[in-house]
Every structure is written in C-alpha cells, then in structure tokens.
Amino acid sequence: MFCSYCGEKLPDTALFCHKCGAKIGSAPTVANKVKLILDRASQVYLVNPPIKAVVNGTIYVSIENGHTETVELDPGPCVVELSGSFRKAKLEFDLQKDTVIQIGFNRISGKLTATIK
Ligand SMILES: [Zn+2]
C-alpha cells in the first residue's frame, strides 16, 4: 500500500508512514473551520469609535465604521460580546456555518444592534 499523504510505498502492516509519519488508514485531517463575519454598517452621521467584539471570551476584534472583520472558528456554541460608546450587545448562538453578523448603532436610540443574517 501507499501512504495517502506523501505517496510513499509502505508495508501492508504499517501503522505509520516511515517517511512522513502520517497515521495510516486515516483520511487527511481537514480543518473544519467556519467563518464568523462581523459586518459593521457604515454610519456617517454619528461619532463612531471602533466597536470592540470579544468572541468566545478569547478573541478580541476591533471593528471600524463600515468595516468587516472575519474570525475563523471551530463550529459550536458561540458567544459574541460587543461594546461601543458605552453600549453593549451580546449574542449567543450555535455557529455551524459561515455566519454574518450585522452590527451598527440604532440611529434614534443610539443602541448597539447586532443581527445574525
Ligand atoms: Zn507518508
């Protein structure tokens, strides 16, 4: 048989490839990340400091007015905490596919809004 990673010819009893070290009989591991896309609306009428996003308590992102930031994550429960201009918003959802979160300030109330598209 042959190594499915590097193509090296191997004894049929091999458990690991002696050339590249790959485990035999397992498919190559594919990184199964999903994208969390933080899309901040462009709002020109307001004083617009960056909105800070904390994803899963560990990933810190700063989103400028009209900008989009993308974070790659493992699928699963996702918590996004947003803060800007003393306003806060929090989203908790199950992230299973590429997801866009539309972020902005409500023009009337000034409230920070975050909507999963
Ligand atoms: Zn190999």
mmCIF file of all heavy atoms in Angstrom, residues 3 5-8 17 19-22, ligand 1:
data_model
loop_
_atom_site.group_PDB
_atom_site.id
_atom_site.type_symbol
_atom_site.label_atom_id
_atom_site.label_comp_id
_atom_site.label_asym_id
_atom_site.label_seq_id
_atom_site.Cartn_x
_atom_site.Cartn_y
_atom_site.Cartn_z
ATOM 1 N N CYS A 3 1.274 5.446 1.179
ATOM 2 C CA CYS A 3 0.846 6.497 2.116
ATOM 3 C C CYS A 3 -0.092 7.468 1.397
ATOM 4 O O CYS A 3 0.222 7.962 0.313
ATOM 5 C CB CYS A 3 2.066 7.236 2.651
ATOM 6 S SG CYS A 3 1.644 8.668 3.657
ATOM 7 N N TYR A 5 -0.782 10.347 2.280
ATOM 8 C CA TYR A 5 -0.325 11.737 2.409
ATOM 9 C C TYR A 5 0.802 12.035 1.430
ATOM 10 O O TYR A 5 0.767 12.996 0.690
ATOM 11 C CB TYR A 5 0.178 12.010 3.831
ATOM 12 C CG TYR A 5 -0.912 12.018 4.856
ATOM 13 C CD1 TYR A 5 -1.442 10.838 5.333
ATOM 14 C CD2 TYR A 5 -1.406 13.224 5.360
ATOM 15 C CE1 TYR A 5 -2.437 10.840 6.283
ATOM 16 C CE2 TYR A 5 -2.400 13.232 6.310
ATOM 17 C CZ TYR A 5 -2.921 12.037 6.768
ATOM 18 O OH TYR A 5 -3.908 12.035 7.711
ATOM 19 N N CYS A 6 1.855 11.186 1.470
ATOM 20 C CA CYS A 6 3.049 11.513 0.689
ATOM 21 C C CYS A 6 3.287 10.534 -0.459
ATOM 22 O O CYS A 6 4.147 10.763 -1.304
ATOM 23 C CB CYS A 6 4.281 11.569 1.595
ATOM 24 S SG CYS A 6 4.800 9.950 2.199
ATOM 25 N N GLY A 7 2.529 9.439 -0.517
ATOM 26 C CA GLY A 7 2.645 8.504 -1.627
ATOM 27 C C GLY A 7 3.742 7.467 -1.467
ATOM 28 O O GLY A 7 3.958 6.646 -2.359
ATOM 29 N N GLU A 8 4.422 7.487 -0.353
ATOM 30 C CA GLU A 8 5.492 6.519 -0.100
ATOM 31 C C GLU A 8 4.926 5.096 -0.076
ATOM 32 O O GLU A 8 3.849 4.856 0.465
ATOM 33 C CB GLU A 8 6.140 6.849 1.257
ATOM 34 C CG GLU A 8 7.272 5.933 1.668
ATOM 35 C CD GLU A 8 8.582 6.235 0.926
ATOM 36 O OE1 GLU A 8 8.592 7.090 0.027
ATOM 37 O OE2 GLU A 8 9.586 5.585 1.265
ATOM 38 N N CYS A 17 3.421 5.946 8.422
ATOM 39 C CA CYS A 17 4.327 6.116 7.299
ATOM 40 C C CYS A 17 5.734 6.388 7.832
ATOM 41 O O CYS A 17 5.921 7.290 8.650
ATOM 42 C CB CYS A 17 3.854 7.275 6.431
ATOM 43 S SG CYS A 17 5.006 7.699 5.114
ATOM 44 N N LYS A 19 8.097 7.569 6.178
ATOM 45 C CA LYS A 19 8.671 8.761 5.535
ATOM 46 C C LYS A 19 8.132 10.055 6.147
ATOM 47 O O LYS A 19 8.890 10.914 6.559
ATOM 48 C CB LYS A 19 8.392 8.729 4.028
ATOM 49 C CG LYS A 19 9.112 9.841 3.269
ATOM 50 C CD LYS A 19 8.821 9.750 1.777
ATOM 51 C CE LYS A 19 9.482 10.915 1.039
ATOM 52 N NZ LYS A 19 8.973 11.006 -0.335
ATOM 53 N N CYS A 20 6.795 10.175 6.198
ATOM 54 C CA CYS A 20 6.223 11.445 6.652
ATOM 55 C C CYS A 20 5.594 11.344 8.042
ATOM 56 O O CYS A 20 5.232 12.355 8.621
ATOM 57 C CB CYS A 20 5.195 11.965 5.655
ATOM 58 S SG CYS A 20 3.629 11.076 5.666
ATOM 59 N N GLY A 21 5.445 10.141 8.552
ATOM 60 C CA GLY A 21 4.936 9.989 9.914
ATOM 61 C C GLY A 21 3.428 9.949 10.021
ATOM 62 O O GLY A 21 2.878 9.861 11.123
ATOM 63 N N ALA A 22 2.730 10.007 8.881
ATOM 64 C CA ALA A 22 1.273 10.025 8.915
ATOM 65 C C ALA A 22 0.722 8.695 9.438
ATOM 66 O O ALA A 22 1.302 7.637 9.203
ATOM 67 C CB ALA A 22 0.718 10.287 7.522
HETATM 68 ZN ZN ZN B 1 3.818 9.368 4.124
#
